[in-house]
Structure formats: structure tokens, C-alpha cells
């Protein structure tokens, strides 16, 4: 493949950002929206073409004689060179997961661009202030995320990783006159910066010991069953392998150097993907416009951490073979986060916050799937994780955009203002229901297939992991249909005085819902294992689909939905009785297990009051006091002796004479004493 289209895939959104950012104020909002949407449409077509050529062209550049899909570097330009091997390059890497991510990012981004033309204006057709700026920020985010997934080396990924963080800061804080939005944007930026510090340290450690930044070289490690897809040369593969072997015993606190490097890198993924305890920024990020929530916090940015682990998966796998704990850390962090987020989602009142915690839980599903993936089970977990990433992007974007349509119609995020909307908004109702069925794992919707592949991988690795994640899946079905019944059923909708009766939104908002609903229904039927596996070797996982596990999880999901229907389809006292039966648990879940309060206590009461305040006192009174004292003494001394340099010649002669006489007297006295 020539480099023209890959370069344009990155150049187009960057040019749109610059053009709309610099000249958008001279354009009408409608024209800016058309330009932004059309530009993203062109990027969508180029991404689809690139993925099609990679997966279906049969080119020897992308697939070898054995049918294994290869990594292909389309272009690579030297940027910074430290040693002969340690070179930072900027390029475009195509392999199964990057090609898949091009489809995901471009699809969701285009739908959000189209949807925003309707969402970002009121019922009278008046566009929101800063509409052109909003589209410029959307383009910047799309450029950043596309650059991240096609990076040829980990340092290029880090550059775009930080650009994604900056873009999310701008989009979350789009309503800059709203204090809560400003606070949320700062919170997201600061929390992810702490995580990215660990990521950067991990990059430096990993590159120091492997001698390279390039993914192709880093992942060229011979492990059991590994084919030569990732190996540039036998020397490179053996070199990296020997590094792991030599560093297997050396390390710190019982873990090898490479284990620490991979855990630190995963720390960056925890921040971006909102894994515990770095999850606190994501729910507050819902303060941004709802299309931003769909783009950043449902489909693309939050899966960056999953993509990072998948990109370096051969390193994680060989670390596990040498007794390292990096994959175990991924598994446990994901499992705890999935359960926590699902429990919290069961009690939230804000529709976007329910979806936010749902996102955290589903991303954790993907992390667990990667963590339990092992070669003895054909690395089913790797494929299942990427499959769920793909399907989740579609149905979660559908749910967020559906939530946006509801908020736009009702004027509130609180589900208590939305009861009985199925009669008023039939298109939104059907599409939202499809999203709920998908995430609950009901056949034949897409979530059924990807979720049950994850459960199968858990079952193959650990019965405990399977039972744990099955319970989380049941909670997922329960809280999503709790949300569905409370919004669309429960009781008749009451139109508040001064408000219009809710109705389905303009075509720019309903068309993306319909398209995503169709995709969410059908994309689970894709034979994903034929295209995306950890080593590029196609494997028909559907031929080995475990219908027993699928049947059990389907039955559990149906039971959870029936329980939700019994409790929330019509107004009844059961929810209140449940809260009264478990008041402590309800309060803890409702308040997110008080993590925000814990962080506020640690930062304000301990770090600020106990550490920063004494340091500030020491700085002001000791350090500044010492400097001020020296300055005062010097100033007073200079005033005391300033007469010595009065400029009067007679005074100088008088002082000279006295000094000469004094010196002479001292000399005579010394001679008299010693002679």
C-alpha cells in the first residue's frame, strides 16, 4: 500500500482542526458543522478502504503464505536518534488491531460529528456558543486517537497519548463558564497525568533494557506457539528474549525489572481506561456535551488502555512465562473494577453517570479477558477482548447518543424526569432498547457473542474468574434494564410547565441512532477470530463456541432483566423496600464507595495540611526569613558605613592619615615588644 492514504488519514483531521480553529469564527455554525462532518466522512471512507485492503486484498505485504496476518509499516520517518538502535520514528503501522481500531474510531467519530449538528442547537435552531470551536476540538481528538493506534513505536504512542489527554481536557471543559465542567476537565487532566508519569517511567525502563522503542522489535519475542509474524529477524527476537531471560531474576521487591516496566506501563492504561483507583475522573467527565461522552468516554479514549496492553501483549505473555505478575495485575485490577462499577451503576440517578460506570465496568471486562489469555487456550482472551472492544464501541456509542436525544428532549439528565417516554420518542426507544439488549448479552445482539467469548476465556483460566465475571454480567443486565424501564416505562410522562412535549429529535440525531442500532445488532456475527488474533494466525473461535457457557450466561441475563422488569416496569414499592433492607450498601454504592471523599481527605487533610502547609511555613519563615535577615543586615551595615564613601577628598585624607598613624603605632609597639 502506498503511503498517500495513510498520511491523509492523519492529515485530514489535523487540517480540519487548524482550519476550524483559526478561521471558524469567520464561518457560520452551519457551514462549520458541514465542513467538519464532511471532512470526517472522507476520513471514514479512507479508514474503511485501508482496513478492507489490509484484511481482504490478500497482498503478501499483509498476509504470508501460511495465511498469517503480518505487521506492515507503511511509512516511517526518523525524528530523534539517541543511539544506533534507539531511534524515535513517526510512522504508520498496520496490523489486525490497528486496522480494526481505524474502523472503530472513524465510525464513532463520524456519527458524533453528524449527531452534533442537531444536538448542539436548541429547539429553535439556535446553535450553541462556540460551536465552531467544538468541531475544531472534535477534529483534534480524532487526529490524536488515530495517531495513537497507528504508532510504530511506543514513544510515538506516548506523544499522541498526551494529545488525547489534552483533547479530552478541552472537550470536557467545553462549557468553560460552568464551574462543574471546568472542575471535571481539570480532574480528568490531573488524574491521568499521574498515571502517565508511570507510563513514561515504564517506557524508559523498557526501552533501556530492550534497546528499542519500536513495537515490531519489542514484540519479536519467541514464546510457545508464536509464529514469525512479529519477528523482523531471528537476531532481534533472540536478543529481546535473552533480555527477558537475563532479567527474570533481577528486580525490586521480588519482581523482575520487566515486570515493573510492564506494570508501570499498565498504570498509564489504568488512567486512560479509568481503572481503580484512577477511575474517579470518568463519571465527572459527563459534564461535557453528550456527544463528547459518546466519542471519548464510551468508544475511543477509554479503550486506549486496553489497546496499549493488547499492543504489548507478547511482552506481557512472555513475562508470565518467566513467572512475572504483570498479567495477574491486569486481571485483578480489571475484576475488582468491573464489580465496583457495576454495583455503583445500580444506584445512580443521572442517566449519563449510569452509562459512565457501565463503561468502566465493560472496559474492565476487556482487561480481565487480556489478563486471563494464555497460549494453552489459543489466547481466546485476547481475541475476545478485541471483539468486545469493537462491539462495545458500537452499542455504547448508541446508548450515549440515545441518552443525548433524551436529555435534549426533556432538558434534564435525571431519569426521574423521563418516565414513560416510549410513547413520545418511539425511534429513540427502540434504538436504546437494542443498546440495552446488546450490553446485557441477549442473543442475537452483538454483546452476546463478545461477552460470552470473554466468559469462556475466564472459564478456561479460572473457575473463580468465571463466576466473578458472570455475576458482574448479571449486574450489567440488571442496571441497564433498570435504567431502560425507569426512562421508558415506570409511569406516564409528565410535561413540566413551560416545557415542550418530548419527541424524537431531528434526522441528524436519529440517523446515527438507527445506523448504530443496526451495527450493534449485526456486528456480533462477524467471524472476528478470522481477522484479529494475538499472533496474526486466523482461528475460527466460533467453531469452538461454548454453548453451555453461553446458555448459562444468557439465562442469568434473562433472569436479571426479569428482576429489573418486576421492580421498575411499573411504579411499585419494591425499590424502596430494597433500599431499606440494605441501607448501608445502598448509601455506599450511591456515593461511589466514597472514593471522591477519600481523595479529598488525602489531598486536603494529609497532603495539603500535614505536608504542604508545614513545608510552606518552613519556606516562608526559615528560608525566606534567612534571606530577608541577610538582606536586612547587609542593608543596615551599608547604611552604617556609607559615610566612608562620601566623595569628600578631605575626609579621605583624614581617614588615610589616621590609618597611617595607627599602622605606624602598631608597628612601633611590635618592635618594642620583640626587640
Amino acid at each position: 500500500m502506498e503511503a498517500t492514504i495513510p498520511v491523509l488519514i492523519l492529515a485530514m483531521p489535523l487540517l480540519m482542526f487548524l482550519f476550524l480553529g483559526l478561521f471558524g469564527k469567520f464561518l457560520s455554525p452551519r457551514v462549520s458543522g458541514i465542513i467538519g462532518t464532511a471532512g470526517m466522512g472522507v476520513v471514514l471512507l479512507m479508514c474503511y478502504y485501508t482496513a478492507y485492503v489490509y484484511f481482504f486484498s490478500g497482498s503478501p505485504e499483509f498476509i504470508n503464505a501460511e495465511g498469517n496476518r503480518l505487521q506492515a509499516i507503511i511509512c516511517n520517518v526518523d525524528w530523534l536518534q539517541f543511539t544506533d538502535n534507539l531511534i524515535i520514528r513517526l510512522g504508520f503501522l498496520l496490523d489486525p488491531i490497528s486496522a480494526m481500531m481505524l474502523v472503530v474510531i472513524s465510525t464513532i467519530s463520524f456519527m458524533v460529528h453528524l449527531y452534533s449538528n442537531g444536538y448542539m442547537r436548541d429547539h429553535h435552531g439556535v446553535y450553541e456558543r462556540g460551536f465552531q470551536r467544538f468541531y475544531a476540538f472534535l477534529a483534534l481528538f480524532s487526529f490524536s486517537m488515530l495517531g495513537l493506534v497507528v504508532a510504530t513505536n511506543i514513544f510515538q504512542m506516548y506523544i499522541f497519548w498526551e494529545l488525547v489527554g489534552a483533547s479530552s481536557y478541552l472537550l470536557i471543559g467545553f462549557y468553560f463558564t460552568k464551574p462543574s465542567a471546568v472542575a471535571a476537565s481539570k480532574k480528568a487532566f490531573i488524574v491521568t497525568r499521574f498515571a502517565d508519569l508511570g507510563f513514561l517511567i515504564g517506557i524508559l525502563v523498557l526501552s533501556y533494557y530492550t534497546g528499542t522503542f519500536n513495537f515490531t522489535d519489542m514484540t519479536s519475542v519467541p514464546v510457545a506457539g508464536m509464529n514469525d509474524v512479529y519477528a523482523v529477524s531471528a537476531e532481534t527476537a533472540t536478543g529481546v528474549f535473552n533480555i527477558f531471560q537475563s532479567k527474570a531474576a533481577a528486580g525490586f521487591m521480588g519482581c523482575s525489572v520487566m515486570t515493573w516496566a510492564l506494570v508501570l506501563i499498565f498504570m498509564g492504561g489504568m488512567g486512560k481506561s479509568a481503572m481503580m483507583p484512577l477511575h474517579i475522573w470518568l463519571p465527572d467527565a459527563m459534564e461535557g456535551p453528550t456527544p463528547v461522552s459518546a466519542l471519548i468516554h464510551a468508544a475511543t479514549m477509554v479503550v486506549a488502555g486496553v489497546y496499549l496492553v493488547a499492543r504489548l501483549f507478547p511482552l506481557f505473555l512472555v513475562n508470565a512465562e518467566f513467572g512475572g505478575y504483570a498479567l495477574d495485575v491486569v486481571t485483578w485490577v480489571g475484576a475488582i473494577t468491573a464489580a465496583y462499577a457495576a454495583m455503583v451503576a445500580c444506584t445512580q440517578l443521572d442517566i449519563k453517570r449510569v452509562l459512565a460506570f457501565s463503561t468502566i465496568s465493560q472496559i474492565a471486562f476487556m482487561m480481565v479477558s487480556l489478563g486471563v489469555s494464555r497460549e494453552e487456550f489459543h489466547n481466546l482472551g485476547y481475541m475476545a477482548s478485541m471483539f468486545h472492544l469493537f462491539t462495545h464501541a458500537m452499542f455504547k456509542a448508541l446508548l450515549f447518543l440515545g441518552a443525548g436525544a433524551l436529555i435534549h428532549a426533556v432538558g434534564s439528565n435525571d431519569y426521574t424526569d423521563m418516565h414513560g417516554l416510549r410513547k413520545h420518542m418511539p425511534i429513540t426507544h427502540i434504538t436504546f432498547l437494542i443498546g440495552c439488549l446488546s450490553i446485557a448479552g441477549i442473543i442475537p445482539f452483538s454483546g452476546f457473542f463478545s461477552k460470552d467469548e470473554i466468559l469462556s476465556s475466564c472459564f478456561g483460566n479460572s473457575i473463580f474468574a468465571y463466576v466473578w465475571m458472570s455475576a458482574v454480567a448479571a449486574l450489567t443486565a440488571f442496571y441497564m434494564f433498570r435504567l431502560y424501564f425507569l426512562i421508558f416505562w415506570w409511569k406516564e410522562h409528565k410535561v413540566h410547565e413551560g416545557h415542550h412535549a418530548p419527541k424524537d429529535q431531528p434526522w441528524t440525531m436519529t440517523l446515527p441512532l438507527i445506523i448504530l442500532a443496526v451495527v450493534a445488532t449485526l456486528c456480533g456475527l462477524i467471524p472476528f477470530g478470522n481477522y484479529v488474533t494475538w499472533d496474526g494466525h486466523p482461528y475460527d473461535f466460533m467453531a469452538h463456541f461454548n454453548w453451555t457457557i453461553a446458555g448459562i450466561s444468557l439465562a442469568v441475563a434473562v433472569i436479571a432483566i426479569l428482576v429489573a422488569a418486576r421492580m421498575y416496569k411499573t411504579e411499585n414499592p419494591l425499590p424502596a423496600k430494597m433500599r431499606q433492607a440494605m441501607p448501608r450498601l445502598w448509601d455506599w454504592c450511591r456515593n461511589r464507595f466514597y472514593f471522591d471523599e477519600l481523595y479529598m481527605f488525602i489531598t486536603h487533610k494529609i497532603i495539603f495540611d500535614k505536608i504542604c502547609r508545614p513545608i510552606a511555613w518552613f519556606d516562608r519563615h526559615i528560608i525566606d526569613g534567612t534571606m530577608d535577615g541577610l538582606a536586612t543586615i547587609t542593608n543596615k551595615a551599608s547604611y552604617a558605613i556609607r559615610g566612608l564613601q562620601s566623595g569628600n577628598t578631605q575626609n579621605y585624607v583624614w581617614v588615610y592619615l589616621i590609618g597611617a598613624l595607627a599602622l605606624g603605632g602598631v608597628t612601633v609597639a611590635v618592635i618594642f615588644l620583640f626587640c
Side-chain angles (χ1 to χ4, degrees):
M1 174 183 285
E2 295 183 0
T4 305
I5 290 181
V7 170
L8 285 175
I9 287 174
L10 296 179
M12 182 70 75
L14 178 60
L15 291 175
M16 286 194 300
F17 163 67
L18 295 174
F19 178 76
L20 293 175
L22 295 174
F23 305 108
K25 62 182 179 180
F26 303 111
L27 304 173
S28 68
R30 184 172 181 272
V31 172
S32 297
I34 291 173
I35 292 174
T37 305
M40 200 61 223
V42 173
V43 174
L44 173 76
L45 294 176
M46 291 190 294
C47 288
Y48 276 32
Y49 173 77
T50 302
Y52 176 81
V53 170
Y54 179 81
F55 285 120
F56 300 107
S57 68
S59 169
E61 181 183 7
F62 303 131
I63 190 168
N64 61 18
E66 289 76 30
N68 299 327
R69 301 194 184 279
L70 308 174
Q71 284 187 338
I73 297 177
I74 307 302
C75 58
N76 220 14
V77 180
D78 289 357
W79 181 37
L80 297 174
Q81 181 168 351
F82 299 102
T83 66
D84 291 340
N85 295 324
L86 207 57
I87 303 171
I88 297 178
R89 296 184 174 92
L90 300 178
F92 195 102
L93 174 66
L94 262 185
D95 71 344
I97 58 174
S98 64
M100 179 268 294
M101 286 299 295
L102 288 178
V103 173
V104 170
I105 296 167
S106 60
T107 300
I108 304 305
S109 184
F110 175 73
M111 294 300 168
V112 167
H113 275 74
L114 178 60
Y115 181 91
S116 298
N117 280 281
Y119 184 86
M120 298 298 287
R121 55 181 175 176
D122 61 23
H123 296 285
H124 303 289
V126 178
Y127 289 90
E128 291 198 26
R129 179 188 175 190
F131 183 82
Q132 298 93 327
R133 173 169 52 90
F134 179 74
Y135 267 79
F137 292 164
L138 287 181
L140 176 63
F141 176 83
S142 300
F143 163 72
S144 304
M145 196 65 204
L146 288 168
L148 188 154
V149 299
V150 300
T152 59
N153 61 82
I154 197 167
F155 217 95
Q156 179 185 345
M157 175 183 274
Y158 184 76
I159 294 170
F160 284 98
W161 188 277
E162 295 302 317
L163 275 175
V164 168
S167 305
S168 65
Y169 170 79
L170 295 171
L171 286 168
I172 296 167
F174 175 74
Y175 298 126
F176 59 88
T177 58
K178 186 180 178 182
S180 59
V182 174
S185 64
K186 291 191 293 185
K187 188 176 185 179
F189 193 79
I190 292 170
V191 172
T192 53
R193 292 293 72 71
F194 277 103
D196 293 349
L197 175 61
F199 185 18
L200 180 59
I201 296 172
I203 289 173
L204 297 177
V205 173
L206 187 63
S207 60
Y208 176 80
Y209 284 105
T210 60
T212 181
F213 289 119
N214 299 330
F215 287 127
T216 306
D217 296 339
M218 281 185 176
T219 53
S220 299
V221 287
V223 295
M226 182 71 172
N227 59 40
D228 63 348
V229 171
Y230 294 93
V232 176
S233 64
E235 292 79 10
T236 302
T238 304
V240 177
F241 179 79
N242 289 337
I243 288 169
F244 270 91
Q245 204 167 24
S246 64
K247 299 300 176 184
F252 175 67
M253 294 178 65
C255 293
S256 67
V257 170
M258 285 305 167
T259 297
W260 279 110
L262 293 174
V263 169
L264 285 168
I265 288 174
F266 175 61
M267 180 179 172
M270 288 171 62
K272 276 287 187 290
S273 294
M275 297 291 100
M276 288 179 66
L278 301 174
H279 65 285
I280 59 171
W281 66 270
L282 184 60
D284 290 347
M286 299 300 108
E287 293 292 339
T290 303
V292 171
S293 303
L295 178 63
I296 299 180
H297 309 293
T300 50
M301 174 181 168
V302 291
V303 300
V306 180
Y307 181 82
L308 174 63
V309 176
R311 171 58 68 203
L312 296 176
F313 184 72
L315 295 183
F316 280 90
L317 195 58
V318 76
N319 176 257
E321 289 199 354
F322 281 115
Y325 302 107
L327 275 180
D328 294 330
V329 172
V330 174
T331 304
W332 281 104
V333 169
I336 294 171
T337 303
Y340 160 80
M343 293 172 67
V344 173
C346 291
T347 62
Q348 299 301 299
L349 302 180
D350 188 313
I351 179 175
K352 288 173 66 176
R353 291 187 187 275
V354 174
L355 296 179
F357 280 103
S358 171
T359 297
I360 295 173
S361 183
Q362 295 301 301
I363 298 298
F365 258 90
M366 303 172 204
M367 289 294 191
V368 170
S369 187
L370 286 170
V372 300
S373 185
R374 296 293 188 275
E375 176 57 29
E376 57 265 31
F377 306 111
H378 303 285
N379 291 104
L380 170 63
Y382 179 93
M383 187 282 299
S385 178
M386 296 298 98
F387 194 13
H388 199 58
L389 187 157
F390 182 82
T391 60
H392 173 263
M394 303 305 167
F395 60 67
K396 185 52 66 68
L398 168 63
L399 289 167
F400 263 110
L401 295 184
L406 294 166
I407 294 168
H408 200 261
V410 177
S412 172
N413 291 20
D414 196 321
Y415 74 78
T416 58
D417 297 324
M418 299 181 182
H419 304 310
L421 290 180
R422 71 188 186 281
K423 298 178 181 178
H424 301 274
M425 305 177 69
I427 296 177
T428 306
H429 168 231
I430 295 300
T431 54
F432 198 90
L433 176 59
I434 289 173
C436 291
L437 291 169
S438 296
I439 195 172
I442 302 301
I443 195 170
F445 299 96
S446 57
F448 167 79
F449 298 98
S450 59
K451 182 197 72 175
D452 282 293
E453 295 285 17
I454 291 177
L455 294 179
S456 294
S457 64
C458 290
F459 182 80
N461 183 275
S462 166
I463 296 297
F464 176 78
Y466 166 72
V467 174
W468 181 279
M469 298 311 294
S470 295
V472 175
L475 280 177
T476 302
F478 173 78
Y479 69 69
M480 285 307 304
F481 274 87
R482 168 184 177 269
L483 181 68
Y484 164 76
F485 286 121
L486 286 172
I487 292 172
F488 294 102
W489 295 79
W490 189 247
K491 60 184 179 181
E492 292 298 319
H493 180 74
K494 181 180 179 181
V495 179
H496 295 288
E497 185 177 352
H499 290 267
H500 297 285
K503 61 179 181 178
D504 281 318
Q505 300 304 297
W507 71 271
T508 53
M509 296 175 67
T510 55
L511 181 60
L513 294 179
I514 295 171
I515 294 173
L516 288 171
V518 173
V519 174
T521 302
L522 300 177
C523 67
L525 302 176
I526 297 173
F528 205 77
N530 292 338
Y531 305 108
V532 179
T533 53
W534 82 287
D535 58 359
H537 181 72
Y539 186 85
D540 188 4
F541 288 101
M542 288 303 297
H544 303 84
F545 192 81
N546 193 324
W547 286 103
T548 301
I549 293 176
I552 294 173
S553 64
L554 180 61
V556 169
V558 170
I559 292 172
I561 293 172
L562 292 176
V563 172
R566 175 68 182 87
M567 293 181 65
Y568 299 106
K569 186 176 180 181
T570 57
E571 192 172 7
N572 66 84
L574 282 178
K577 289 181 179 179
M578 177 175 283
R579 287 196 297 271
Q580 293 168 3
M582 299 178 290
R584 294 287 186 108
L585 180 60
W586 177 270
D587 288 340
W588 276 73
C589 292
R590 179 74 180 84
N591 292 284
R592 313 179 201 176
F593 285 75
Y594 299 97
F595 267 96
D596 286 89
E597 289 77 5
L598 176 62
Y599 273 91
M600 292 297 289
F601 174 79
I602 292 173
T603 54
H604 286 264
K605 298 297 183 181
I606 297 178
I607 297 178
F608 293 165
D609 288 350
K610 305 301 182 184
I611 300 176
C612 295
R613 198 178 298 278
I615 291 174
W617 182 91
F618 183 83
D619 179 65
R620 285 194 302 270
H621 293 85
I622 305 301
I623 297 178
D624 288 353
T626 301
M627 296 298 104
D628 292 343
L630 291 174
T632 301
I633 293 171
T634 303
N635 192 41
K636 289 183 177 181
S638 64
Y639 269 94
I641 64 173
R642 64 180 178 173
L644 297 176
Q645 294 190 4
S646 62
N648 191 322
T649 306
Q650 292 178 336
N651 288 344
Y652 291 165
V653 172
W654 178 248
V655 171
Y656 174 77
L657 177 61
I658 293 175
L661 291 174
L663 182 61
V666 171
T667 303
V668 171
V670 171
I671 293 172
F672 178 78
L673 289 173
F674 292 97
C675 295

